PDB file of all heavy atoms in Angstrom:
ATOM      1  N   ARG O   4      54.790 143.307 105.255  1.00 45.00           N
ATOM      2  CA  ARG O   4      53.393 143.439 105.694  1.00 45.00           C
ATOM      3  C   ARG O   4      52.619 142.170 105.395  1.00 45.00           C
ATOM      4  O   ARG O   4      51.772 141.804 106.175  1.00 45.00           O
ATOM      5  CB  ARG O   4      52.744 144.622 104.993  1.00 45.00           C
ATOM      6  CG  ARG O   4      53.239 145.916 105.517  1.00 45.00           C
ATOM      7  CD  ARG O   4      52.094 146.876 105.688  1.00 45.00           C
ATOM      8  NE  ARG O   4      52.594 148.179 106.101  1.00 45.00           N
ATOM      9  CZ  ARG O   4      52.519 148.593 107.359  1.00 45.00           C
ATOM     10  NH1 ARG O   4      51.951 147.905 108.272  1.00 45.00           N
ATOM     11  NH2 ARG O   4      53.002 149.801 107.677  1.00 45.00           N
ATOM     12  N   SER O   5      52.888 141.510 104.276  1.00 42.00           N
ATOM     13  CA  SER O   5      52.135 140.308 103.968  1.00 42.00           C
ATOM     14  C   SER O   5      52.560 139.112 104.819  1.00 42.00           C
ATOM     15  O   SER O   5      51.843 138.152 104.966  1.00 42.00           O
ATOM     16  CB  SER O   5      52.227 139.966 102.487  1.00 42.00           C
ATOM     17  OG  SER O   5      53.570 139.657 102.127  1.00 42.00           O
ATOM     18  N   ARG O   6      53.757 139.196 105.396  1.00 42.00           N
ATOM     19  CA  ARG O   6      54.253 138.089 106.260  1.00 42.00           C
ATOM     20  C   ARG O   6      53.746 138.248 107.690  1.00 42.00           C
ATOM     21  O   ARG O   6      53.878 137.371 108.476  1.00 42.00           O
ATOM     22  CB  ARG O   6      55.754 138.070 106.307  1.00 42.00           C
ATOM     23  CG  ARG O   6      56.382 137.538 105.017  1.00 42.00           C
ATOM     24  CD  ARG O   6      57.840 137.339 105.240  1.00 42.00           C
ATOM     25  NE  ARG O   6      58.473 138.534 105.797  1.00 42.00           N
ATOM     26  CZ  ARG O   6      59.510 139.128 105.350  1.00 42.00           C
ATOM     27  NH1 ARG O   6      60.129 138.648 104.277  1.00 42.00           N
ATOM     28  NH2 ARG O   6      60.024 140.217 105.895  1.00 42.00           N
ATOM     29  N   ARG O   7      53.221 139.404 108.003  1.00 50.00           N
ATOM     30  CA  ARG O   7      52.754 139.643 109.362  1.00 50.00           C
ATOM     31  C   ARG O   7      51.612 138.716 109.701  1.00 50.00           C
ATOM     32  O   ARG O   7      50.846 138.289 108.844  1.00 50.00           O
ATOM     33  CB  ARG O   7      52.289 141.104 109.525  1.00 50.00           C
ATOM     34  CG  ARG O   7      53.457 142.049 109.483  1.00 50.00           C
ATOM     35  CD  ARG O   7      52.948 143.415 109.710  1.00 50.00           C
ATOM     36  NE  ARG O   7      54.051 144.316 109.530  1.00 50.00           N
ATOM     37  CZ  ARG O   7      53.884 145.612 109.367  1.00 50.00           C
ATOM     38  NH1 ARG O   7      52.721 146.142 109.329  1.00 50.00           N
ATOM     39  NH2 ARG O   7      54.918 146.390 109.224  1.00 50.00           N
ATOM     40  N   SER O   8      51.431 138.517 111.003  1.00 47.00           N
ATOM     41  CA  SER O   8      50.394 137.580 111.416  1.00 47.00           C
ATOM     42  C   SER O   8      49.028 138.184 111.143  1.00 47.00           C
ATOM     43  O   SER O   8      48.829 139.356 111.076  1.00 47.00           O
ATOM     44  CB  SER O   8      50.556 137.336 112.912  1.00 47.00           C
ATOM     45  OG  SER O   8      50.580 138.539 113.650  1.00 47.00           O
ATOM     46  N   SER O   9      48.073 137.315 110.969  1.00 53.00           N
ATOM     47  CA  SER O   9      46.712 137.731 110.694  1.00 53.00           C
ATOM     48  C   SER O   9      46.008 138.163 111.984  1.00 53.00           C
ATOM     49  O   SER O   9      46.527 137.939 113.076  1.00 53.00           O
ATOM     50  CB  SER O   9      45.936 136.570 110.063  1.00 53.00           C
ATOM     51  OG  SER O   9      45.695 135.572 111.040  1.00 53.00           O
ATOM     52  N   SER O  10      44.855 138.777 111.812  1.00 53.00           N
ATOM     53  CA  SER O  10      44.110 139.244 113.006  1.00 53.00           C
ATOM     54  C   SER O  10      43.677 138.118 113.854  1.00 53.00           C
ATOM     55  O   SER O  10      43.328 138.299 115.033  1.00 53.00           O
ATOM     56  CB  SER O  10      42.948 140.097 112.556  1.00 53.00           C
ATOM     57  OG  SER O  10      42.040 139.339 111.806  1.00 53.00           O
ATOM     58  N   SER O  11      43.622 136.872 113.346  1.00 68.00           N
ATOM     59  CA  SER O  11      43.191 135.743 114.171  1.00 68.00           C
ATOM     60  C   SER O  11      44.343 135.111 114.942  1.00 68.00           C
ATOM     61  O   SER O  11      44.166 134.198 115.682  1.00 68.00           O
ATOM     62  CB  SER O  11      42.504 134.712 113.279  1.00 68.00           C
ATOM     63  OG  SER O  11      43.443 134.185 112.335  1.00 68.00           O
ATOM     64  N   ASP O  12      45.552 135.630 114.751  1.00 88.00           N
ATOM     65  CA  ASP O  12      46.743 135.125 115.424  1.00 88.00           C
ATOM     66  C   ASP O  12      46.607 135.409 116.917  1.00 88.00           C
ATOM     67  O   ASP O  12      46.351 136.524 117.330  1.00 88.00           O
ATOM     68  CB  ASP O  12      47.949 135.828 114.849  1.00 88.00           C
ATOM     69  CG  ASP O  12      49.293 135.341 115.463  1.00 88.00           C
ATOM     70  OD1 ASP O  12      49.244 134.572 116.429  1.00 88.00           O
ATOM     71  OD2 ASP O  12      50.333 135.754 114.916  1.00 88.00           O
ATOM     72  N   PRO O  13      46.795 134.381 117.760  1.00 91.00           N
ATOM     73  CA  PRO O  13      46.703 134.580 119.203  1.00 91.00           C
ATOM     74  C   PRO O  13      47.711 135.639 119.729  1.00 91.00           C
ATOM     75  O   PRO O  13      47.427 136.283 120.751  1.00 91.00           O
ATOM     76  CB  PRO O  13      47.020 133.208 119.790  1.00 91.00           C
ATOM     77  CG  PRO O  13      46.796 132.257 118.705  1.00 91.00           C
ATOM     78  CD  PRO O  13      47.022 132.960 117.427  1.00 91.00           C
ATOM     79  N   ALA O  14      48.841 135.813 119.085  1.00 91.00           N
ATOM     80  CA  ALA O  14      49.789 136.787 119.506  1.00 91.00           C
ATOM     81  C   ALA O  14      49.248 138.199 119.401  1.00 91.00           C
ATOM     82  O   ALA O  14      49.568 139.091 120.219  1.00 91.00           O
ATOM     83  CB  ALA O  14      51.104 136.673 118.707  1.00 91.00           C
ATOM     84  N   GLU O  15      48.388 138.431 118.398  1.00 93.00           N
ATOM     85  CA  GLU O  15      47.766 139.773 118.289  1.00 93.00           C
ATOM     86  C   GLU O  15      46.870 140.070 119.509  1.00 93.00           C
ATOM     87  O   GLU O  15      46.848 141.149 120.020  1.00 93.00           O
ATOM     88  CB  GLU O  15      46.976 139.852 116.987  1.00 93.00           C
ATOM     89  CG  GLU O  15      47.819 139.840 115.763  1.00 93.00           C
ATOM     90  CD  GLU O  15      48.799 141.013 115.648  1.00 93.00           C
ATOM     91  OE1 GLU O  15      48.542 142.086 116.245  1.00 93.00           O
ATOM     92  OE2 GLU O  15      49.816 140.850 114.999  1.00 93.00           O
ATOM     93  N   LEU O  16      46.082 139.032 119.901  1.00 93.00           N
ATOM     94  CA  LEU O  16      45.277 139.200 121.078  1.00 93.00           C
ATOM     95  C   LEU O  16      46.125 139.426 122.322  1.00 93.00           C
ATOM     96  O   LEU O  16      45.807 140.279 123.155  1.00 93.00           O
ATOM     97  CB  LEU O  16      44.358 137.986 121.260  1.00 93.00           C
ATOM     98  CG  LEU O  16      43.452 137.992 122.493  1.00 93.00           C
ATOM     99  CD1 LEU O  16      42.520 139.206 122.461  1.00 93.00           C
ATOM    100  CD2 LEU O  16      42.659 136.708 122.576  1.00 93.00           C
ATOM    101  N   ALA O  17      47.200 138.703 122.418  1.00 93.00           N
ATOM    102  CA  ALA O  17      48.088 138.862 123.611  1.00 93.00           C
ATOM    103  C   ALA O  17      48.697 140.266 123.656  1.00 93.00           C
ATOM    104  O   ALA O  17      48.746 140.850 124.715  1.00 93.00           O
ATOM    105  CB  ALA O  17      49.240 137.799 123.529  1.00 93.00           C
ATOM    106  N   ARG O  18      49.102 140.820 122.547  1.00 95.00           N
ATOM    107  CA  ARG O  18      49.647 142.153 122.500  1.00 95.00           C
ATOM    108  C   ARG O  18      48.546 143.183 122.933  1.00 95.00           C
ATOM    109  O   ARG O  18      48.844 144.106 123.703  1.00 95.00           O
ATOM    110  CB  ARG O  18      50.134 142.552 121.102  1.00 95.00           C
ATOM    111  CG  ARG O  18      51.419 141.913 120.693  1.00 95.00           C
ATOM    112  CD  ARG O  18      51.793 142.396 119.299  1.00 95.00           C
ATOM    113  NE  ARG O  18      52.990 141.742 118.832  1.00 95.00           N
ATOM    114  CZ  ARG O  18      53.028 140.685 118.062  1.00 95.00           C
ATOM    115  NH1 ARG O  18      51.907 140.134 117.615  1.00 95.00           N
ATOM    116  NH2 ARG O  18      54.190 140.178 117.670  1.00 95.00           N
TER     117      ARG O  18
END
Side-chain angles (χ1 to χ4, degrees):
R4 288 222 184 257
S5 62
R6 287 189 310 231
R7 290 183 185 163
S8 54
S9 71
S10 62
S11 63
D12 182 350
E15 293 298 335
L16 178 60
R18 286 181 183 97

